[in-house]
Amino acid sequence: RGLTLVEMVVVAALLLACSTPILYLLSSSSRSQEQNFRRTYAHYIAKRVLEFASARANRQGFNSIAVHSEFLSPVESDSGPVSPYFRLFGVKGQSITNQGDPRFFKILSKFKLRFTLDRVEGQSANSSLRNGLVEVEWERADGLGRSSLTLQTILSDVSRL
């Protein structure tokens, strides 16, 4: 005695109905993991830039800190000028290149950043405090636009104290 055609169709329909949500969960989990990876990396980039700016302000003052209000690319490519802060991630202050480290180049090429340094609200123009703001933007893992992350901190120029 074997299975009838109707029984086979019912079993196939049940398998399809049960496997569709599982496949969706796996796919969704993968996209979520990639998005979290990019957000974590963006946070690392922003934190590294703020740490560098803070150290530079303490040693050499605010005038030594490069600012740019437009989003700049991390790697040298046809997409526009390179942010000076992405040299922080290269070996001995050199830019990241596709030939030198292709995996790192591929990761960084998804990001852009801008860094601004503004007066702290309520402080005079000659104040030794500035508001450092880093905004990192990246392509979303699902391909539906871009995401961004912003970190800011108060920087002090101890040479003015």
Side-chain angles (χ1 to χ4, degrees):
R1 160 158 156 78
L3 296 175
T4 66
L5 180 59
V6 172
E7 290 172 330
M8 293 296 288
V9 169
V10 169
V11 168
L14 284 173
L15 281 174
L16 182 64
C18 291
S19 64
T20 302
I22 292 171
L23 290 174
Y24 174 76
L25 287 174
L26 291 174
S27 170
S28 175
S29 173
S30 176
R31 280 192 308 272
S32 178
Q33 182 181 7
E34 178 64 22
Q35 188 63 14
N36 286 336
F37 169 79
R38 291 180 187 191
R39 182 173 304 283
T40 300
Y41 214 88
H43 187 269
Y44 167 74
I45 290 169
K47 185 176 179 222
R48 184 109 184 241
V49 169
L50 283 176
E51 288 171 349
F52 177 81
S54 177
R56 171 99 16 128
N58 284 334
R59 284 192 317 265
Q60 300 171 355
F62 293 131
N63 292 334
S64 67
I65 300 174
V67 296
H68 51 86
S69 58
E70 68 278 0
F71 281 99
L72 296 180
S73 175
V75 292
E76 294 181 10
S77 66
D78 297 335
S79 64
V82 177
S83 170
Y85 291 101
F86 278 105
R87 296 193 189 284
L88 296 173
F89 301 97
V91 177
K92 297 181 182 176
Q94 301 298 312
S95 293
I96 303 295
T97 64
N98 196 18
Q99 291 76 30
D101 191 346
R103 289 180 307 176
F104 198 44
F105 180 88
K106 184 177 179 183
I107 291 168
L108 281 181
S109 65
K110 295 176 182 359
F111 296 90
K112 292 189 178 218
L113 81 79
R114 69 178 164 190
F115 179 71
T116 57
L117 196 60
D118 301 314
R119 263 192 12 226
V120 174
E121 193 171 315
Q123 297 287 318
S124 70
N126 294 332
S127 171
S128 63
L129 301 176
R130 292 287 184 274
N131 183 34
L133 186 135
V134 178
E135 188 173 0
V136 181
E137 188 178 77
W138 67 94
E139 301 168 17
R140 289 177 47 113
D142 57 14
L144 299 175
R146 299 185 71 77
S147 292
S148 66
L149 172 131
T150 303
L151 290 182
Q152 66 180 8
T153 191
I154 303 296
L155 302 175
S156 64
D157 179 354
V158 294
S159 66
R160 291 180 160 196
L161 297 177

